[in-house]
Amino acid sequence: MGAWFGGSLMGAVGLNGVAREWEDSKTGDRIASIGWAKWTPVNGVAIAAHLAGAVAMLASNFHRVEHQRGVGATSAVKTLLTGAALAATAYGRVLGKKLEMATSTEPGTDTAAEHHPVSVEDAERQLRWTQWSIPVLTGALTVVSALAGEQQKPTQQKMGMLRKAAARLDMD
């Protein structure tokens, strides 16, 4: 998750910031597109590692999710944030690919970009928002993950399971 968060934040701040300083915006967009395209495989590995870890944690903590107070809600929030970050990342890549083709120096790629459903201007505008949403979402995910880590402390587990057991006794 750290690479997903940090890479997206660096790209939004550093890479896009440098690209905006070019006098020729098409050249700046091209440079940013090249940088983002080079980051994509690394980002993909980081996301896959995060997802694998999240699934493994959920599987190993299923009993806690089911029985410890607050853990189910925390897991649900983490799942929603992860899904939103994945959707933003995928949409950002689609928009980025359009800009990559539109600014390419290779023959025919600018024509291929015209077949995408969004104009270059709209893609640029939407991409700015999307690229900022990713570090916001993954940053929130980091905060929620820290809360989940606190819930894993033995004292928290014990208190949560005791509360759940007491509630069941009161129901009987």
Side-chain angles (χ1 to χ4, degrees):
M1 184 170 32
W4 192 6
F5 168 76
S8 62
L9 183 60
M10 187 288 302
V13 174
L15 189 57
N16 291 351
V18 167
R20 281 191 296 277
E21 290 182 15
W22 250 260
E23 287 181 27
D24 174 22
S25 65
K26 188 171 181 176
T27 301
D29 287 345
R30 179 72 188 140
I31 290 167
S33 292
I34 291 168
W36 281 107
K38 288 189 177 291
W39 171 247
T40 296
V42 175
N43 199 35
V45 170
I47 292 169
H50 168 73
L51 292 175
V55 168
M57 285 292 289
L58 184 59
S60 69
N61 290 319
F62 188 74
H63 183 73
R64 286 185 48 249
V65 172
E66 190 176 28
H67 297 290
Q68 185 182 343
R69 186 170 146 207
V71 176
T74 302
S75 296
V77 170
K78 283 179 68 174
T79 301
L80 288 172
L81 286 170
T82 299
L86 284 169
T89 301
Y91 187 59
R93 186 61 191 133
V94 168
L95 294 171
K97 194 67 177 165
K98 172 148 181 115
L99 289 181
E100 186 179 329
M101 288 188 297
T103 60
S104 177
T105 57
E106 294 179 28
T109 54
D110 56 342
T111 306
E114 293 173 12
H115 297 307
H116 276 262
V118 65
S119 71
V120 171
E121 295 79 23
D122 287 343
E124 288 173 332
R125 189 180 85 271
Q126 291 172 16
L127 191 55
R128 275 192 296 277
W129 283 99
T130 302
Q131 287 175 334
W132 276 105
S133 72
I134 298 165
V136 167
L137 290 165
T138 55
L141 186 55
T142 301
V143 170
V144 174
S145 293
L147 172 63
E150 288 297 310
Q151 289 174 332
Q152 285 187 312
K153 289 183 176 179
T155 56
Q156 292 296 315
Q157 290 181 30
K158 185 178 178 181
M159 286 189 327
M161 289 181 187
L162 287 173
R163 279 191 208 111
K164 184 96 172 187
R168 284 188 181 168
L169 289 174
D170 286 342
M171 292 173 53
D172 291 337

